[in-house]
Amino acid sequence: MRNHTVVTEYTLLGIPETEGLETVLLFLFSSLYLCTVLGNVLILTAIISSSRLHTPMYFFLANLSVFDLGFSSTTAPKMLSYLSGLSQGISFQGCATQLFFYHFLGCTECFLYTVMAYDRFVAICFPLRYMVLMNRRVCSILAAGTWMGGCIHAIILTSLTFQLSYCGSNKVSYYFCDIPAILPLACGDTSLAQRVGFTNVGLLSLICFFLILVSYTRIGIAISKLRSAEGRQRAFSTCSAHMTAILCAYGPVIIIYLQPNPSALLGAIIQILNNHVTPMLNPLIYSLRNQDVKSALRDAFPRRGFTLKKN
């Protein structure tokens, strides 16, 4: 790769059509990133510290929190750096690393949401056998599979993208290194990388979304057969947080693909929603209506202020 590469550094041009708004964007994205880190660290702390949350559902939720921390950290620090007035440059190796982790964690997200939907399917449709079917070994294999599958996917896309020769412009007309922004800068034939990238990303997303729909269709049928209204409400409440998170994750992607000729600004807004807003919302979605998580957080962070006043 070094023998064929002339470009050693790229310049990230930032979010399209936002010239002069650097200060506003810096404040906005700093706040989003801070809330993302704080929220997901609190979720992880609650799950690790409370033995009541050592169940398959919360095990996968902990994986999702780790994913959200990593996914937002893939693009946010560099973006905040150049919005604050520092260099917009990123090295060739740094660009390849950013693209790898973006697709690694993005693919892992699809797999993880699918596994979480399967977990809810087993919990609702086979409640008496839930702990047997979703034992610790099965959960570990499923979790490891999601991360390994994402890694393989990212290795393929990164290798195809950066084995090409880059000997022309180094201006990346985007706020991070992604395949659609990097491939136009290549000197060689990019058709293979484009086809594989589109097929991999699109096909994996569609398969995962289809499996999630199948799981929730079966869950809906099972819930409709429950005689007790209280039982139906309890079953629905266990799935509502996950369904909301899936809508937040897949909603922006569906919107951008429904547009026949999406503008660069619209594409950037959709990416921002997916990269920065959804990871921030997930801790809120899974904790606002979850009494177990709230109780675990209260136990993990006791009201020391009252103790100090008494002393």
Side-chain angles (χ1 to χ4, degrees), residues 255-284:
I255 291 172
I256 192 66
Y257 276 105
L258 287 177
Q259 300 290 324
N261 295 303
S263 66
L265 179 59
L266 177 61
I269 291 172
I270 297 300
Q271 288 279 26
I272 288 167
L273 288 174
N274 204 29
N275 298 358
H276 303 286
V277 178
T278 300
M280 181 199 69
L281 291 178
N282 278 340
L284 297 175

Side-chain angles (χ1 to χ4, degrees), residues 47-245:
I47 293 172
I48 293 171
S49 63
S50 176
S51 58
R52 290 174 299 173
L53 302 185
H54 293 174
T55 63
M57 181 178 76
Y58 292 107
F59 170 72
F60 293 123
L61 179 56
N63 275 266
L64 182 63
S65 291
V66 173
F67 154 79
D68 284 335
L69 286 170
F71 195 53
S72 58
S73 298
T74 300
T75 58
K78 182 60 184 176
M79 181 171 61
L80 295 176
S81 173
Y82 66 70
L83 284 175
S84 62
L86 300 179
S87 172
Q88 293 180 263
I90 183 171
S91 67
F92 184 89
Q93 292 80 6
C95 188
T97 302
Q98 192 177 61
L99 187 145
F100 169 81
F101 278 102
Y102 178 76
H103 285 278
F104 165 44
L105 294 169
C107 184
T108 302
E109 176 191 35
C110 290
F111 291 150
L112 189 56
Y113 279 131
T114 307
V115 168
M116 293 175 76
Y118 173 72
D119 171 70
R120 292 298 84 207
F121 161 72
V122 175
I124 300 299
C125 299
F126 305 99
L128 299 179
R129 300 174 57 198
Y130 175 61
M131 294 308 297
V132 176
L133 294 173
M134 298 297 293
N135 58 59
R136 182 172 296 183
R137 181 171 176 272
V138 171
C139 290
S140 299
I141 291 173
L142 289 173
T146 62
W147 293 95
M148 190 173 295
C151 185
I152 293 171
H153 166 81
I155 288 173
I156 293 171
L157 293 185
T158 307
S159 300
L160 285 173
T161 303
F162 286 97
Q163 73 178 358
L164 298 169
S165 298
Y166 291 89
C167 52
S169 172
N170 68 338
K171 306 292 184 183
V172 179
S173 57
Y174 212 45
Y175 69 96
F176 72 98
C177 291
D178 196 11
I179 293 175
I182 294 295
L183 284 183
L185 306 179
C187 300
D189 182 16
T190 63
S191 58
L192 177 61
Q194 287 177 332
R195 285 198 301 268
V196 173
F198 181 80
T199 303
N200 271 24
V201 174
L203 189 61
L204 283 175
S205 299
L206 283 175
I207 291 173
C208 291
F209 191 62
F210 174 74
L211 292 174
I212 291 170
L213 284 178
V214 171
S215 295
Y216 275 102
T217 300
R218 294 287 303 275
I219 289 171
I221 294 171
I223 291 176
S224 66
K225 292 180 180 179
L226 294 175
R227 296 180 179 179
S228 169
E230 182 181 352
R232 287 196 297 269
Q233 184 177 359
R234 189 183 301 112
F236 179 77
S237 66
T238 63
C239 303
S240 59
H242 185 232
M243 287 190 293
T244 305

Side-chain angles (χ1 to χ4, degrees), residues 291-306:
Q291 295 301 323
D292 292 335
V293 174
K294 290 180 181 178
S295 177
L297 286 172
R298 282 194 293 267
D299 294 339
F301 300 98
R303 299 180 181 179
R304 297 178 181 177
F306 292 103

